[in-house]
Amino acid sequence: MFETKETKHPALVSWLTHRLDSWRSHRDIEYRQKWEEYYRLWRGIWNSGDKTRETEKSRLISPALQQAVESSVAELEEATFGRGKWFDIKDDLLDQDKQQAEYIRNLLQEDLEKMGVKDAICEVFLNGAIYGTGIGKVIVEQNVERVPNTAEGGEYAGYKEIPSIDIKIEPISPHSFLIDPSSNSIDDGLGVAHEVIKPRYSVIQSIQSGIYYDVPLDGDYDIINYTSETTKRTGDESDNVKITEYWGLVPKRFLKPKADTDDFDYETSDEMVEAVVTIANDTYVLRAVENAFTMKDRPFISYQHDLVPDNFWGRGVCEKGYNAQKALDAEMRARIDSLALTTTPMMAADATRLPRGVKFEVRAGRTILTNGSPKEAVMPLNLGQTDPSTIQQINLLQSMIQMGTGSTDLTGSAGADSRTASGMSMSQSASIKRQKRTLMNFQNTFLIPVINKAIWRKVQFDIDRYPNVDYKFIPYSTMGIMAKELEMTQMVQMMQSIPKDSPAFNIILMALFQNSSIHNRDQIVNAIQQSLQPNPQQTQLQQQAMTLQLQQAQATIEKTMAEALEEKAKAMKWQAEAQEMVPNEISMQEKILKMQKAQADIAKTVADTSNKNSETARNFPEVDHLISETLLNEAKAKSEEAASRFKQ
């Protein structure tokens, strides 16, 4: 059945196995024992090797470190996915069609969420918090989606199959990941490898479809167990196959045998090419081809939860709180062991005064027989009391875990400085800064490369739905839970000092709902946005009212001007008549008195006319000059009228 195709690459197997074994040994010697203990502390699993002293009996494990891990992961998840849109795409500035980038962003987010990428990234967060390094693998799958098919009239007519190219993220545990120890990132090393146990049937399907070579699936391989030692299992005695998938540089002469090529000497060439090599059970090569991706990139992404300079493996929450957690466990176990001695009743007895063969036990209602006086034969044995200061020490150690991990929700660990509102605000601000540092590191080293690799795969393999355009990717840097609570408190205080009719009030109110987590948040925000926008109908009514008032003002001005002209004509007529009828016998003193009275009448007339038209002038500044001219003409007319009356 099986052809001896595995003999095509014996040099490649030997070349890779030698390097992968050294990488695995370096990883296990330096990190594996620590990772296993971090895993047990997070899970709350007791191990005899975790004892702090030989006489320790208690097996309690404090949940403080577990809570710190969960709090840190929850902050990162909320900060990344809290607002729905967790990444954005910007097109080139020279491209005038900005809607195309928006369409690609929505389409890519829909495709990624359909394949469970958000859940996979959350698991990467958890691995990063426990082990210090979160690793993911971008996988391209060709699937067939079945959708109902309807005939004419809306009747069910079976289903139809629609082929699709899907992108998914596979979280990878550090226990199953190998990397060149001399490299600090996935791309600058010789290569990386992923070791995983797969069902035998899936490997056979890949062989039948032509993806893998037809090789025997037997041999011995190691099974990786996170909580115990590595065990051996024979491959042909189980339904599992160990698959080692290597992505990196290999000598080009190892990819194809010399007989398959005529124009290239693979045996003597030292050229290194990016390739993918799949090995079954550490023995047989299932696949050995050059990297077929357009960008020649490796499909692995990693981030450090806390950066360690000049090292690929980072520092996680468990490592930062490890020492305080061990001290806390030792304190709690010592207290429990002490309580077992101080609270359990014990008796001291004289063995010579007890009846022969009696089993001395103390319980309620039991009769104790002694040879002689019981006061001399038995007596209660008191070993003292448990030190009550251990409770304070436990609280202090919990605060040390908070100090080391940056978690602020550990119950009972708040110090005296954080009991006030200002102290809590300062503590939250410091924790938010630490979480933001981790978040920015995750976005720059993991999230942006994930989106880049996903769009590259879509453009290469799903051309019909994704056009080949140069895009720029920008992830959303949102806030975590604690940052949202702190900001919402500040915004509520600001709203209390701003009047409700102020434009800033609605803007702060909209920001307050955007930071909330209620289920109908988007509807409320849309309603506030609509209320801030001008109503077209109301604007039209206001314009119509302004036009009507302007027309009324113009009519009033024309009427006033006509009346002023009429009064002016009357005054001129009175002046002409007065010149003929002035009596000569009027003395100069009477003329002066009448002149003063006429001047007072003129001032009163001007004041009445000004009050009459002041409101119109205020509402319509554009006709203010007309009103002023009208007032001047009317004043002149009244002055002439008064002069004529004086002359009369």
Side-chain angles (χ1 to χ4, degrees):
M1 174 182 178
F2 296 107
E3 301 179 6
T4 59
K5 294 183 179 180
E6 69 276 9
T7 58
K8 279 189 174 184
H9 304 282
L12 180 60
V13 174
S14 177
W15 188 86
L16 277 180
T17 303
H18 172 70
R19 285 159 177 78
L20 296 181
D21 289 343
S22 63
W23 297 356
R24 189 183 303 106
S25 299
H26 176 270
R27 181 202 63 188
D28 293 344
I29 293 173
E30 296 292 335
Y31 301 102
R32 182 175 179 181
Q33 186 176 359
K34 298 178 182 178
W35 290 344
E36 290 177 351
E37 189 170 3
Y38 297 157
Y39 179 83
R40 292 196 300 268
L41 290 176
W42 171 66
R43 289 287 304 273
I45 300 174
W46 181 85
N47 187 277
S48 59
D50 298 337
K51 287 184 178 182
T52 57
R53 51 188 172 83
E54 291 296 332
T55 58
E56 189 176 81
K57 300 296 183 183
S58 176
R59 299 185 178 184
L60 288 180
I61 297 177
S62 172
L65 193 61
Q66 304 174 25
Q67 191 171 5
V69 170
E70 294 169 0
S71 175
S72 177
V73 173
E75 280 291 318
L76 294 176
E77 291 178 3
E78 176 66 20
T80 305
F81 306 112
R83 294 189 177 181
K85 295 181 180 179
W86 45 282
F87 69 91
D88 194 10
I89 296 180
K90 277 191 175 182
D91 206 348
D92 197 302
L93 294 176
L94 299 178
D95 191 357
Q96 301 298 326
D97 188 8
K98 302 300 180 182
Q99 296 181 354
Q100 189 178 29
E102 183 69 16
Y103 166 76
I104 293 298
R105 190 203 66 78
N106 296 332
L107 182 62
L108 181 61
Q109 181 172 346
E110 180 182 353
D111 292 344
L112 293 179
E113 291 182 355
K114 181 183 69 173
M115 298 305 296
V117 172
K118 292 175 65 174
D119 296 335
I121 293 178
C122 293
E123 187 174 343
V124 172
F125 278 141
L126 185 59
N127 287 332
I130 297 174
Y131 303 110
T133 305
I135 307 171
K137 180 181 179 182
V138 180
I139 300 177
V140 182
E141 293 182 350
Q142 184 176 3
N143 298 321
V144 177
E145 183 180 0
R146 294 183 178 182
V147 296
N149 192 11
T150 56
E152 297 181 359
E155 297 181 356
Y156 175 73
Y159 63 88
K160 59 181 179 180
E161 295 182 348
I162 301 177
S164 63
I165 303 297
D166 298 324
I167 306 296
K168 62 184 297 186
I169 305 298
E170 180 182 356
I172 299 177
S173 171
H175 290 276
S176 59
F177 187 76
L178 300 177
I179 188 171
D180 186 359
S182 62
S183 61
N184 297 329
S185 65
I186 291 176
D187 296 327
D188 64 359
L190 179 64
V192 295
H194 179 209
E195 298 180 326
V196 63
I197 306 299
K198 289 188 176 181
R200 177 184 290 266
Y201 79 89
S202 64
V203 180
I204 294 177
Q205 289 179 351
S206 299
I207 292 175
Q208 294 175 350
S209 61
I211 299 176
Y212 290 160
Y213 296 148
D214 190 0
V215 299
L217 300 180
D218 56 2
D220 296 338
Y221 59 88
D222 296 337
I223 294 179
I224 301 173
N225 193 331
Y226 300 156
T227 57
S228 62
E229 297 296 331
T230 302
T231 59
K232 288 281 187 177
R233 177 178 294 182
T234 304
D236 56 357
E237 293 180 355
S238 67
D239 291 330
N240 299 325
V241 179
K242 180 183 177 182
I243 300 296
T244 303
E245 191 171 274
Y246 172 84
W247 290 80
L249 296 172
V250 298
K252 191 172 183 179
R253 64 179 184 271
F254 291 157
L255 294 182
K256 293 182 181 179
K258 185 177 180 180
D260 293 347
T261 60
D262 298 330
D263 56 348
F264 191 85
D265 189 0
Y266 285 89
E267 295 296 336
T268 60
S269 175
D270 293 331
E271 181 183 357
M272 304 286 285
V273 295
E274 283 286 340
V276 51
V277 181
T278 306
I279 302 176
N281 295 334
D282 299 330
T283 306
Y284 305 108
V285 174
L286 291 172
R287 176 178 55 175
V289 294
E290 291 190 25
N291 193 331
F293 294 137
T294 303
M295 308 301 293
K296 300 297 181 181
D297 59 306
R298 300 166 185 174
F300 296 93
I301 318 99
S302 67
Y303 88 100
Q304 294 185 5
H305 191 86
D306 195 8
L307 185 65
V308 177
D310 197 24
N311 201 332
F312 174 79
W313 304 106
R315 190 168 67 121
V317 176
C318 290
E319 182 176 352
K320 291 189 286 186
Y322 172 77
N323 292 321
Q325 175 71 24
K326 294 291 287 185
L328 178 59
D329 290 342
E331 186 73 27
M332 293 182 60
R333 292 170 185 174
R335 179 175 176 82
I336 296 300
D337 292 344
S338 176
L339 289 174
L341 297 175
T342 58
T343 60
T344 304
M346 292 181 288
M347 298 292 292
D350 186 357
T352 61
R353 294 177 178 247
L354 295 178
R356 182 176 298 178
V358 68
K359 185 178 180 182
F360 186 75
E361 293 179 354
V362 178
R363 65 173 183 269
R366 178 179 174 81
T367 302
I368 301 176
L369 303 178
T370 60
N371 296 326
S373 176
K375 294 180 180 180
E376 299 177 358
V378 294
M379 62 175 293
L381 182 61
N382 188 3
L383 298 181
Q385 296 181 353
T386 302
D387 189 359
S389 64
T390 55
I391 297 297
Q392 298 178 357
Q393 296 174 2
I394 290 174
N395 293 333
L396 178 62
L397 291 171
Q398 287 181 346
S399 64
M400 291 178 63
I401 294 178
Q402 172 184 341
M403 184 187 307
T405 61
S407 175
T408 59
D409 59 352
L410 297 177
T411 305
S413 62
D417 296 337
S418 60
R419 294 175 184 174
T420 62
S422 59
M424 292 178 63
S425 178
M426 293 175 61
S427 177
Q428 287 182 348
S429 299
S431 177
I432 290 170
K433 291 179 181 178
R434 297 181 66 172
Q435 297 290 349
K436 186 177 181 181
R437 179 171 174 264
T438 303
L439 178 63
M440 296 305 297
N441 185 29
F442 163 77
Q443 289 182 350
N444 294 331
T445 60
F446 190 92
L447 185 58
I448 295 178
V450 162
I451 304 301
N452 276 316
K453 292 180 185 295
I455 197 68
W456 291 341
R457 306 297 189 264
K458 286 289 188 179
V459 169
Q460 181 178 0
F461 300 107
D462 199 359
I463 305 176
D464 297 336
R465 301 174 69 231
Y466 289 82
N468 188 5
V469 184
D470 184 17
Y471 299 106
K472 297 180 181 179
F473 309 96
I474 299 178
Y476 279 96
S477 178
T478 57
M479 296 180 297
I481 299 174
M482 291 187 299
K484 283 186 177 182
E485 293 177 355
L486 183 61
E487 188 175 83
M488 290 179 70
T489 303
Q490 295 175 351
M491 286 190 293
V492 170
Q493 295 175 357
M494 293 171 58
M495 291 180 63
Q496 295 176 356
S497 60
I498 297 177
K500 292 185 178 181
D501 55 350
S502 174
F505 184 85
N506 292 329
I507 296 176
I508 298 177
L509 181 63
M510 182 171 62
L512 188 66
F513 281 106
Q514 286 177 343
N515 284 338
S516 65
S517 300
I518 57 178
H519 65 282
N520 57 346
R521 175 187 59 189
D522 296 337
Q523 298 178 0
I524 298 176
V525 172
N526 292 334
I528 296 176
Q529 290 177 346
Q530 292 178 1
S531 65
L532 295 178
Q533 296 177 357
N535 189 356
Q537 297 180 356
Q538 185 177 3
T539 304
Q540 185 178 3
L541 293 176
Q542 291 178 354
Q543 292 177 354
Q544 293 177 358
M546 291 288 291
T547 303
L548 181 61
Q549 292 179 4
L550 183 60
Q551 293 175 356
Q552 293 177 355
Q554 291 177 352
T556 303
I557 292 171
E558 292 176 357
K559 181 179 179 182
T560 304
M561 293 178 65
E563 292 177 354
L565 293 175
E566 184 179 356
E567 292 293 335
K568 182 178 180 181
K570 290 181 180 180
M572 293 176 64
K573 181 179 179 181
W574 291 343
Q575 184 178 6
E577 294 176 355
Q579 291 178 356
E580 299 176 357
M581 300 175 60
V582 176
N584 298 326
E585 64 273 8
I586 299 177
S587 62
M588 184 62 65
Q589 185 176 4
E590 292 178 352
K591 291 181 179 180
I592 294 173
L593 293 175
K594 291 184 179 181
M595 180 63 71
Q596 293 176 351
K597 183 178 179 181
Q599 290 178 353
D601 293 340
I602 291 171
K604 182 178 179 182
T605 302
V606 172
D608 294 341
T609 306
S610 177
N611 293 331
K612 177 179 178 182
N613 298 283
S614 60
E615 182 177 0
T616 305
R618 286 195 305 268
N619 294 333
F620 303 94
E622 64 274 6
V623 298
D624 190 19
H625 64 284
L626 298 177
I627 296 175
S628 300
E629 184 178 359
T630 304
L631 292 175
L632 181 61
N633 295 333
E634 187 174 355
K636 290 180 179 179
K638 296 295 183 182
S639 176
E640 293 174 356
E641 180 182 359
S644 64
R645 291 178 181 176
F646 162 72
K647 293 178 181 180
Q648 292 177 359

